[in-house]
Amino acid sequence: MPEGHTLHRLARLHQRRFARAPVAVSSPQGRFAGSTVDGRVLLRAGAWGKHLFHHYEPARGGPIVHVHLGLYGAFREWRVPSGGEALPEPVGQVRMRMVGADYGTDLRGPTVCEVIDEARVSDILARLGPDPLRSDADPSWAWGRITKSRRPIGALLMDQTVIAGVGNVYRSELLFRHRIDPYRPGRAIGEAEFEGAWTDLVDLMKVGLRRGNIITVSAEHDHGPPSYLPGRPRTYVYRRTGEPCRVCGEPISTAVLEGRNMFWCAACQQ
Ligand SMILES: [Zn+2]
């Protein structure tokens, strides 16, 4: 599932490609009622956690397209052909197509793609924790939730109402980097430990935002067994079950926590 940095990258890209001009919005597949935004000027695109918002004119009370990619959703961008040639035919089930002056993009397979109003946006944001990639993020809010909880920190990190935007890769990698056992209850995390991990998470996600990849392994450990997938940066623990820890050499463990496989080194993370 895309993590928060992917949504922020999409928001920036859509802002660059489509903002301040009218956008033709359609649903080749027919499952998105986008006619209320079709032809309107896109004012801005923004993200909070794994949620993407396209704000259309007018500035007050204008419609907003809300997208959540879920596990399978993805945008694919294309150039608008010059010289009046026909636009590319939609391939597969395109839920939403956006066409600007120079670029178009096709959205396939999202969990959510809907037109909503400001009040509904507020409802969604009210249920999300701070997003490490937003300058207005308030980590003390997340700390308040964690320090009162008996739930394992590995579960709390996946809870979007605690911190918004962290997914399965950042969860496992962050806990390894701070040598925290994923089963430790939130209430047993120290405040300095949380602050260190939050600062690190902000830095890691900013790297992800800039580079488009989740990069968590420091230069001194970036060697040895290859990454879990060709073309992806190495990870400390993510999808490395049974392989030797890059720091201590013990085999990496895995278990299902919050419905997703979690990975950790039982020797390093105690
Ligand atoms: Zn280890």
Side-chain angles (χ1 to χ4, degrees), residues 203-231:
D203 290 345
L204 290 174
M205 290 186 75
K206 281 183 175 168
V207 170
L209 175 59
R210 199 164 61 239
R211 304 273 296 272
N213 265 322
I214 298 181
I215 297 166
T216 58
V217 174
S218 17
E220 58 177 318
H221 302 131
D222 197 7
H223 54 78
S227 171
Y228 60 97
L229 274 183

Side-chain angles (χ1 to χ4, degrees), residues 176 179 237 244-252 264-269:
F176 178 86
R179 306 296 190 262
V237 291
C245 172
R246 297 191 191 282
V247 174
C248 75
E250 290 296 308
I252 301 300
W264 77 103
C265 173
C268 289
Q269 295 170 256

Side-chain angles (χ1 to χ4, degrees), residues 4-28:
H5 67 295
T6 300
L7 279 303
H8 281 268
R9 278 176 74 85
L10 283 169
R12 288 184 176 188
L13 180 69
H14 294 163
Q15 176 82 26
R16 233 172 23 245
R17 299 297 200 224
F18 301 109
R20 294 176 296 280
V23 186
V25 180
S26 62
S27 182

